[in-house]
Amino acid sequence: MITIRGDMLEGGGQILRLSTALATLIGEPIRIVRVRGKRRPPGLRRQHMTALKVLASLCNGQVEGLRLGSTEVFFKPGDIRGGSYRFDVGTAGSVSLILQAAMPVMVFAPAPVRLRLRGGTNNPMAPPVDYLERVLLEDLRLMGVEALLRVYRRGFYPRGGGEVEVQTQPSRRLKPIMLQELGRILEVRGLVYSCRLPSHIADRMASSASERLRRIGLNPVFEKEVLQPGNPKCSLDPGCGILLSIKHSHGFLGVDNLGVKGKRAEVVGSEAAEQLIKLVEGGYPVDRHLCDQLIVWMALADGVSRIKTIELTLHALTCIELTKTILKAELKIEGDLGRPAVIECRGIGYEK
């Protein structure tokens, strides 16, 4: 049995989600102690409980300690299976973070999987679902992952209520990925979205981002999604945000920014643009979100992957430690925490 301390490194819910997903893949029982030990309060919240329920359903697994505030969890996985599943977080807890744990298991199911989640789609503490759809899944396709994501309704804090569905096809073995340099820029795209807010807010976010990007020769093509009550995709609570993405000759990268009450729309847009400019001018093909999300896939792939990121985060270091401990993958880091880094991983060539 594997035992993992939930207060190591990042010390949050990521340890619970990722370690349980990896244990599911290799079919090993796992115990996580001191769950979310560096959070206040520690222990399970609703979104973490939902992630465990999703993983248990995907493999007919058994869970002990599945209650609010629990600081110790035992998970015994069964056989991974396909099928259709539906879960409701019950809060604005991020569905993106649940999908990060579920997707590696879904992809290696022996049959297609359809997973529908209800909760927060655009959350300040997690990548938005739009990032998963337009950046992460695009890069994973280069590795051989077949997955589609559709947003049925947006969900913002405090009530959530967003709905997202992901469909996956079975994969036998993943190819490694090489993102060592920013390739030739082929497309720059933007998405601005708002719910229950005046339409000029989305226009101003797009305009300010475009103006800043054009100064360095980037000409983004924007999609605007302005939703009001009556539209089935409109959220229960007001909210807005922006996603900027680049397709280059080696892959995809992106940045996002969520609107905050009291912050001008122009600032939201220009802040996102500045993040993208730093990536482009530094020649970094991997943004800080993409780095920690790719590590588990690199560890599962057959061969050597290598990525260059603008920032080595504590989340990324946590992912690295867990994949080394549970999957026995070989990873090397050139760089320091909070600084640019190159990560090399010799994957285990996982196949189900």
Side-chain angles (χ1 to χ4, degrees):
M1 183 180 70
I2 304 165
T3 300
I4 297 292
R5 284 181 49 165
D7 59 353
M8 61 175 275
L9 293 173
E10 181 267 337
Q14 177 194 34
I15 297 171
L16 174 82
R17 291 186 298 266
L18 181 57
S19 61
T20 309
L22 297 180
T24 300
L25 287 169
I26 64 173
E28 289 284 337
I30 187 168
R31 185 179 302 278
I32 303 98
V33 298
R34 302 179 184 177
V35 172
R36 296 181 68 247
K38 291 184 179 177
R39 299 292 183 267
R40 293 294 176 266
L44 294 180
R45 313 307 295 167
R46 292 197 181 277
Q47 75 172 51
H48 311 109
M49 293 172 62
T50 305
L52 290 170
K53 291 176 183 177
V54 170
L55 289 169
S57 294
L58 289 170
C59 70
N60 195 28
Q62 301 173 26
V63 190
E64 296 177 10
L66 191 62
R67 60 185 181 275
L68 280 174
S70 175
T71 57
E72 185 168 327
V73 169
F74 173 76
F75 187 90
K76 183 180 180 182
D79 293 330
I80 300 173
R81 57 188 182 179
S84 296
Y85 307 89
R86 182 187 291 260
F87 291 90
D88 186 347
V89 179
T91 67
S94 171
V95 298
S96 296
L97 297 181
I98 296 171
L99 288 172
Q100 285 180 22
M103 284 196 300
V105 177
M106 293 166 65
V107 163
F108 285 104
V113 177
R114 183 191 302 264
L115 174 62
R116 189 145 176 165
L117 294 173
R118 183 182 174 98
T121 61
N122 300 82
N123 185 306
M125 303 301 290
V129 291
D130 313 281
Y131 181 94
L132 269 60
E133 178 187 18
R134 296 166 186 248
V135 179
L136 178 63
L137 288 185
E138 294 291 352
D139 280 319
L140 293 184
R141 285 190 185 97
L142 302 176
M143 302 181 75
V145 171
E146 293 184 54
L148 294 174
L149 185 153
R150 181 176 177 184
V151 182
Y152 285 91
R153 181 164 65 182
R154 293 199 176 274
F156 297 99
Y157 182 81
R159 286 183 290 177
E163 292 200 25
V164 174
E165 184 175 280
V166 173
Q167 299 177 42
T168 59
Q169 297 296 321
S171 294
R172 280 189 54 81
R173 187 173 284 198
L174 301 179
K175 296 177 288 187
I177 191 166
M178 289 290 180
L179 294 173
Q180 302 180 79
E181 59 184 25
L182 182 63
R184 183 167 59 90
I185 294 177
L186 305 175
E187 290 180 354
V188 183
R189 293 193 171 273
L191 168 69
V192 286
Y193 53 88
S194 69
C195 293
R196 298 175 179 265
L197 294 170
S199 60
H200 65 77
I201 290 177
D203 292 335
R204 289 158 53 203
M205 286 190 293
S207 179
S208 64
S210 295
E211 180 183 351
R212 184 65 188 91
L213 292 174
R214 281 196 294 266
R215 295 181 196 170
I216 66 162
L218 299 180
N219 295 296
V221 176
F222 266 94
E223 175 185 345
K224 297 179 184 179
E225 182 185 276
V226 179
L227 305 174
Q228 299 295 348
N231 188 311
K233 196 176 179 181
C234 185
S235 61
L236 300 175
D237 299 296
C240 65
I242 181 171
L243 176 81
L244 300 173
S245 62
I246 285 179
K247 176 183 179 181
H248 57 96
S249 52
H250 302 311
F252 297 77
L253 61 86
V255 300
D256 72 279
N257 203 16
L258 197 63
V260 178
K261 188 175 182 179
K263 179 183 286 189
R264 291 178 56 80
E266 290 83 0
V267 176
V268 176
S270 62
E271 285 178 347
E274 291 295 341
Q275 290 182 59
L276 196 69
I277 289 168
K278 287 180 181 178
L279 289 164
V280 172
E281 292 185 340
Y284 298 107
V286 176
D287 59 85
R288 63 196 304 272
H289 281 326
L290 188 58
C291 179
D292 67 84
Q293 293 181 73
L294 280 179
I295 288 168
V296 61
W297 301 95
M298 293 162 60
L300 293 169
D302 184 20
V304 177
S305 297
R306 192 173 174 89
I307 62 174
K308 179 184 178 183
T309 181
I310 189 170
E311 182 184 350
L312 180 65
T313 65
L314 198 54
H315 279 90
L317 285 176
T318 304
C319 288
I320 289 169
E321 186 62 29
L322 290 172
T323 52
K324 288 168 66 175
T325 300
I326 299 173
L327 296 181
K328 310 303 181 187
E330 299 177 22
L331 292 105
K332 299 177 183 177
I333 306 170
E334 300 172 16
D336 298 315
L337 180 64
R339 306 285 296 173
V342 174
I343 301 171
E344 181 179 286
C345 176
R346 182 176 295 278
I348 65 172
Y350 180 86
E351 60 181 329
K352 196 69 176 176

